[in-house]
Amino acid sequence: METLLFTAELVEEDGTYKLVVQDVVRDTVQITPVPKSAVDKLSTFLSVLSSKLGTTPTRGRR
């Protein structure tokens, strides 16, 4: 059985980006601005992280 702990969304508004992370357990939200350069590298970062953890990236929740 899966238990959702956090959700994360990367939101673009008027050319600026922000990362919105919700702690589902504590019912809190944190919002952090993200530079476009980091957004552009997100796919690469996730691939490297998956490689280092020995996991296979998945698409969507299961």
Side-chain angles (χ1 to χ4, degrees), residues 5 26 29 59:
L5 302 175
R26 294 178 183 86
V29 175
R59 296 182 186 263

Side-chain angles (χ1 to χ4, degrees), residues 2 5 8 10-11 13-15 17 33 35-37 44 47 51 54 61:
E2 288 184 354
L5 302 175
L10 182 60
V11 179
E13 183 177 1
D14 298 326
Y17 300 90
K36 184 176 182 330
S37 60
T44 302
S47 293
S51 174
R61 287 191 65 231

Side-chain angles (χ1 to χ4, degrees), residues 6-57:
F6 292 90
T7 64
E9 296 178 309
L10 182 60
V11 179
E12 182 270 331
E13 183 177 1
D14 298 326
T16 62
Y17 300 90
K18 59 186 172 184
L19 179 63
V20 181
V21 178
Q22 178 186 7
D23 181 331
V24 176
V25 175
R26 294 178 183 86
D27 194 29
T28 60
V29 175
Q30 292 183 339
I31 301 172
T32 303
V34 178
K36 184 176 182 330
S37 60
V39 172
D40 293 342
K41 296 176 186 173
L42 185 58
S43 293
T44 302
F45 171 76
L46 292 174
S47 293
V48 170
L49 180 62
S50 293
S51 174
K52 288 186 182 260
L53 295 175
T55 59
T56 305

Side-chain angles (χ1 to χ4, degrees), residues 1-5 61-62:
M1 180 175 146
E2 288 184 354
T3 301
L4 183 62
L5 302 175
R61 287 191 65 231
R62 290 185 178 200

